[in-house]
Amino acid sequence: MFNIVQVTMKGIFRDRIFQSIMALGGLFFFVPSVASLSMRQVSELSITLCLSIISFILLLLSVFLGATSLWKDIDRRYTFSVLSLPVSRSYYLLGRFLGLALFLILTSILLGGMACVVIKISSTLYQSPAGQPLVWWYIVVAIIFSTLQYILIIAVAFLFSSVSTSFFLPVFGTICVYFASSVTQQVYEFVKSPAAVKMVAPVAKFGAIVVYYIMPNLAGFDLKVNAIYSVSPDIKGLLITLLYFFVYTSILLGGAAFLFGRREMK
């Protein structure tokens, strides 16, 4: 499995994806100038912009790398060479997933370091009297859980890729799941509220609740508000979210391995 992880990492660097990340990382240079436009909330705006840039880059990587990894291997017939060795399909799929997850973690560390430098520069050059105190630990925790969120999205992409013969279903399916999962918590809270009794039909309410429990819930991974306004996150909530990540990702990978193991290779 280690060899598959290593080959996955080498393939990513060979495709010059790292250089593309560095190019997108150039957006950080504009953060101090844009944040200076906010006279009283420079630090808050800097944190918001930096975390948004990190989320945007990680989303692109998780969707397109996760959705095209298996497809490219099968299209280039690399999969047939690997599976001819004493390696099971489950180990192969898990190795590819771990390779992508490791690359996402390394990217997050790099972008997080750049973000911390930019936030420090912005808060030093443009000190605002009404600004909140910077709590670096909250920013780090927000970046960590954002990374876990997109690793989970990679698992979603692998589930689609395990049954798809092209990259269209994994790419667009993963994008749809991401946007739907970002609002399931709000929809669930609305249909459970007293105001929804007269506004939402029972069938629609039941359907929304079913979708809420099936789709991944990404609301717990979003800690931007805590980082921006220096609000201490709930430790119990973080532990529950961490447990949810491992359980849900394991279920997705288990389903992907089951389907991939029964897929016909032509």
Side-chain angles (χ1 to χ4, degrees):
M1 184 181 297
F2 175 76
N3 291 333
I4 298 176
V5 173
Q6 189 177 26
V7 169
T8 302
M9 293 289 292
K10 288 182 178 179
I12 293 174
F13 283 100
R14 186 174 59 249
D15 291 339
R16 298 186 178 183
I17 295 176
F18 184 76
Q19 290 85 336
S20 302
I21 294 173
M22 294 302 296
L24 287 174
L27 295 172
F28 284 112
F29 293 109
F30 298 97
V31 170
S33 300
V34 176
S36 65
L37 300 177
S38 176
M39 299 298 293
R40 300 180 62 84
Q41 292 184 322
V42 176
S43 299
E44 290 85 343
L45 183 56
S46 298
I47 297 172
T48 302
L49 293 174
C50 287
L51 293 181
S52 298
I53 292 172
I54 293 175
S55 295
F56 174 70
I57 295 176
L58 293 182
L59 175 62
L60 292 179
L61 291 176
S62 61
V63 170
F64 290 102
L65 286 181
T68 60
S69 178
L70 292 179
W71 173 78
K72 287 195 301 184
D73 284 353
I74 297 174
D75 186 63
R76 297 172 181 175
R77 305 190 71 81
Y78 171 75
T79 305
F80 300 92
S81 301
V82 175
L83 295 180
S84 63
L85 302 173
V87 177
S88 67
R89 294 190 182 188
S90 299
Y91 267 68
Y92 165 74
L93 185 140
L94 183 59
R96 297 296 286 181
F97 171 79
L98 292 177
L100 296 181
L102 178 59
F103 180 75
L104 208 70
I105 292 172
L106 294 177
T107 301
S108 180
I109 293 173
L110 174 65
L111 296 178
M114 296 172 63
C116 289
V117 172
V118 170
I119 292 170
K120 181 63 176 177
I121 293 174
S122 299
S123 61
T124 302
L125 294 179
Y126 308 102
Q127 296 182 357
S128 54
Q132 297 287 337
L134 286 177
V135 182
W136 294 104
W137 174 241
Y138 298 164
I139 299 174
V140 172
V141 170
I143 295 174
I144 291 174
F145 275 81
S146 179
T147 305
L148 295 179
Q149 168 183 291
Y150 293 110
I151 292 176
L152 191 151
I153 294 298
I154 292 178
V156 172
F158 266 56
L159 181 63
F160 285 120
S161 299
S162 63
V163 296
S164 177
T165 57
S166 69
F167 66 91
F168 290 104
L169 173 61
V171 169
F172 293 106
T174 305
I175 292 174
C176 291
V177 168
Y178 170 77
F179 284 111
S181 301
S182 300
V183 299
T184 51
Q185 184 65 40
Q186 292 87 333
V187 173
Y188 177 79
E189 292 175 356
F190 171 73
V191 297
K192 282 290 188 177
S193 64
V197 174
K198 297 181 179 179
M199 299 176 60
V200 182
V203 176
K205 181 179 179 180
F206 176 77
I209 295 175
V210 171
V211 172
Y212 169 78
Y213 284 107
I214 294 177
M215 300 285 283
N217 189 342
L218 303 181
F221 297 91
D222 188 1
L223 302 177
K224 291 186 179 68
V225 173
N226 301 84
I228 294 169
Y229 297 105
S230 300
V231 178
S232 177
D234 181 25
I235 301 299
K236 182 180 178 180
L238 295 181
L239 293 176
I240 293 175
T241 302
L242 195 61
L243 178 62
Y244 177 84
F245 164 78
F246 284 111
V247 172
Y248 202 96
T249 303
S250 299
I251 293 173
L252 290 174
L253 291 178
F258 176 81
L259 295 173
F260 190 67
R262 283 152 182 78
R263 176 175 176 173
E264 292 185 6
M265 296 290 183
K266 297 181 181 180

